[in-house]
Amino acid sequence: MTASLEQLRRCHFAVDLGASRTRVWVRGAGLVVDQPSVAAINTKTGALIAVGEFAERMTGRTPDYIRVVRPVSGGTVVDIDMAQRMLRNLLGDKVRRTLRRKPRLRAAACTPHDADPLAQRATIETLVGLGARRVELVDTLIAAAVGCGLPVERPEATMIMVCGAAATQLAVLSLGSIVTAERIPVGGEAVDHAIVQHLRHQHELMLPSQAVRPLQLALSGNGLTPHGPALTEIHGRDVATGLARSVKVDTAAVRLAIETPLTAVLDGVGKVLRSCPPDLVADVADRGIMMVGGSALLPGLDQMLRQATGVPVHIAERPDVCAVQGLGYMLEGKIQPMVLNPLAN
């Protein structure tokens, strides 16, 4: 981690390209962009119409000639050109002019754990297209751990869970490195899909594209526990008639539908702990699991993990921005590596 910290201190800005949101940290200015990773284009002319929150509000409400696209999927850039255009518009002219003045502009970016070389290359090409002369890649798990204040450089185990939109990443860290890690292809989108399928099969109701998150929040702060509201009213479209319809949904059944995809996450936690040395497992049992990422805010998910593992579970203060915040701390030089001096003979 020492060498990468030296390289990161030379970077001028950092980017966290997530499937759900894109965040940019500029050295000296802090977090300057925190917007959905969405763009809307005119299919007739190829012109970019909107990006970020405005483009997300257009989802499902556009005429035929406007297409809403997501250039990032599962933490991987799938459309380099569109990702570059989206980032340019999100940064704005003022920030881009400031970055262009930097000699030999350097950038840092988060990449999912065990990202393949093609995915890493796509991230590098995206930032090179913005003018970066060099791009440093940092594992999302390490960046998020630094961002939420975990002592990753110490010889003690710290377990972190990054709950993203497309995947959940788990790792045990010690001495600034990953001891063991697991990437599970289950995230917030899988939870959304489980709710949509439940309502379609049980109530013959199709939800609008932006109604799933409010439904999750309607489960209240107790979320996955049985103490939430008994019924929730949902508006959607009838599958058979195509007409608008409202139904009273049993939230206990919704909680059961949500728990089904989350069993893979619980299995991943057990797999990571089983592959750890006993001393590190003892540290995890004492300090617990730190949850970060936007999907960590799913009501009751921390309680579900606590009951299933018997390990304390904590949610970071701002779980959604921990990864880019960790990169920012490294850029600003706020993280000091532990120096290991060789013993003299």
Side-chain angles (χ1 to χ4, degrees), residues 6-48:
E6 292 298 326
Q7 294 170 349
L8 286 168
R9 289 196 185 101
R10 301 171 191 165
C11 295
H12 302 96
F13 71 103
V15 179
D16 178 16
L17 280 168
S20 176
R21 298 184 74 88
T22 293
R23 299 176 178 90
V24 181
W25 183 292
V26 176
R27 190 170 66 187
L31 187 63
V32 297
V33 173
D34 185 2
Q35 295 279 341
S37 304
V38 187
I41 59 172
N42 187 324
T43 56
K44 295 180 180 179
T45 64
L48 195 64

Side-chain angles (χ1 to χ4, degrees), residues 262-283:
L262 293 180
T263 53
V265 177
L266 299 178
D267 293 341
V269 173
K271 186 175 181 181
V272 168
L273 291 176
R274 284 193 297 270
S275 58
C276 270
D279 291 340
L280 296 183
V281 175
D283 289 343

Side-chain angles (χ1 to χ4, degrees), residues 14-272:
V15 179
D16 178 16
L17 280 168
S20 176
R21 298 184 74 88
T22 293
R23 299 176 178 90
V24 181
W25 183 292
V26 176
R27 190 170 66 187
L31 187 63
V32 297
V33 173
D34 185 2
Q35 295 279 341
S37 304
V38 187
I41 59 172
N42 187 324
T43 56
K44 295 180 180 179
T45 64
L48 195 64
I49 298 174
V51 295
E53 291 181 355
F54 185 51
E56 189 176 50
R57 289 201 301 269
M58 295 169 65
T59 304
R61 297 181 171 90
T62 60
D64 292 341
Y65 67 92
I66 296 178
R67 185 162 58 97
V68 178
V69 297
R70 292 183 176 270
V72 183
S73 176
T76 301
V77 178
V78 294
D79 188 336
I80 296 175
D81 178 63
M82 186 56 62
Q84 291 174 351
R85 296 172 67 184
M86 180 186 73
L87 274 173
R88 288 193 195 102
N89 282 270
L90 289 176
L91 285 171
D93 294 334
K94 183 178 179 181
V95 176
R96 281 190 292 142
R97 281 198 299 268
T98 303
L99 292 176
R100 277 200 297 265
R101 297 193 192 104
K102 307 290 185 183
R104 293 193 61 83
L105 183 65
R106 290 173 176 246
C110 291
T111 56
H113 180 68
D114 285 344
D116 59 77
L118 286 177
Q120 295 179 3
R121 189 66 187 173
T123 302
I124 293 172
E125 290 292 335
T126 300
L127 298 185
V128 167
L130 294 178
R133 301 289 296 274
R134 183 181 176 91
V135 179
E136 306 292 346
L137 300 181
V138 180
D139 196 304
T140 302
L141 291 163
I142 294 179
V146 171
C148 64
L150 293 179
V152 295
E153 75 283 357
R154 298 180 186 174
E156 304 168 352
T158 54
M159 186 169 184
I160 187 164
M161 173 187 290
V162 180
C163 306
T168 299
Q169 303 175 66
L170 299 153
V172 173
L173 310 176
S174 181
L175 289 174
S177 300
I178 296 175
V179 178
T180 180
E182 189 74 20
R183 187 166 183 262
I184 305 152
V186 174
E189 293 176 355
V191 174
D192 292 348
H193 182 71
I195 296 175
V196 169
Q197 291 301 310
H198 168 75
L199 293 176
R200 185 182 181 93
H201 294 152
Q202 299 298 323
H203 300 277
E204 297 184 349
L205 191 75
M206 292 181 63
L207 284 182
S209 59
Q210 307 206 12
V212 177
R213 289 297 173 184
L215 175 58
Q216 292 180 2
L217 296 178
L219 297 176
S220 83
N222 295 306
L224 301 178
T225 65
H227 305 294
L231 296 173
T232 302
E233 186 175 7
I234 301 297
H235 306 280
R237 189 180 73 181
D238 190 279
V239 173
T241 65
L243 302 177
R245 184 163 64 93
S246 299
V247 296
K248 294 283 188 179
V249 178
D250 181 8
T251 53
V254 174
R255 284 193 292 269
L256 184 60
I258 291 176
E259 287 179 4
T260 302
L262 293 180
T263 53
V265 177
L266 299 178
D267 293 341
V269 173
K271 186 175 181 181
V272 168

